[in-house]
Amino acid sequence: MSNYGYYLPLHPNTFETSRFIGIAPKNEGIGENISQKKDKDGTPVWVVSCLVKVSGGSQEMETFTLSASTEIANKIKAIEELTPVRLVGLSGGKWSKAVTDKTTWSFQISGLEILKAQQ
């Protein structure tokens, strides 16, 4: 049993840098009953992986959930690995399991934008 929190918008500069790694369907169920998760409106849910860095910290892998059509997900799949990106509509939520005091962050985004090279 889990105690799920809620998501709040985060400052666009929460991560000093963010580099695209990949996108995959967010699945639910197991074995033959596995299927891609959909949001309350029936839109497919995806997991976007990025290498991020918090100011003053080290780089680490983080995942973000994204509700988007398959067409949009296919465009995101075409982004080259390690391309600098901006996480659009970044929001974060904290949750904890009922049997522990450990808190975990999870993140959502509404899209990705490729950052232009700095001159």
Side-chain angles (χ1 to χ4, degrees):
M1 183 170 211
S2 295
N3 177 17
Y4 290 98
Y6 49 89
Y7 287 86
L8 293 174
L10 297 176
H11 192 278
N13 295 334
T14 297
F15 300 112
E16 185 177 285
T17 60
S18 180
R19 294 184 175 270
F20 178 75
I21 298 296
I23 183 171
K26 181 171 179 85
N27 292 324
E28 57 187 354
I30 57 172
E32 293 177 8
N33 296 324
I34 199 164
S35 63
Q36 184 169 7
K37 185 173 181 162
K38 296 196 175 10
D39 69 10
K40 63 183 184 330
D41 298 322
T43 305
V45 177
W46 305 86
V47 176
V48 176
S49 300
C50 291
L51 184 62
V52 297
K53 181 179 180 192
V54 177
S55 183
S58 58
Q59 290 186 331
E60 55 188 66
M61 285 292 296
E62 192 58 71
T63 58
F64 305 85
T65 56
L66 168 69
S67 293
S69 68
T70 302
E71 179 183 354
I72 289 172
N74 285 337
K75 288 180 182 179
I76 292 171
K77 283 180 187 174
I79 297 173
E80 192 173 324
E81 191 173 288
L82 297 177
T83 297
V85 293
R86 183 172 80 82
L87 303 167
V88 178
L90 176 64
S91 61
K94 290 199 260 186
W95 59 275
S96 59
K97 292 185 178 177
V99 295
T100 182
D101 60 356
K102 182 179 177 186
T103 300
T104 303
W105 277 91
S106 58
F107 300 100
Q108 294 178 337
I109 55 174
S110 60
L112 282 179
E113 288 180 0
I114 295 174
L115 294 176
K116 295 188 181 359
Q118 304 253 334
Q119 299 274 335

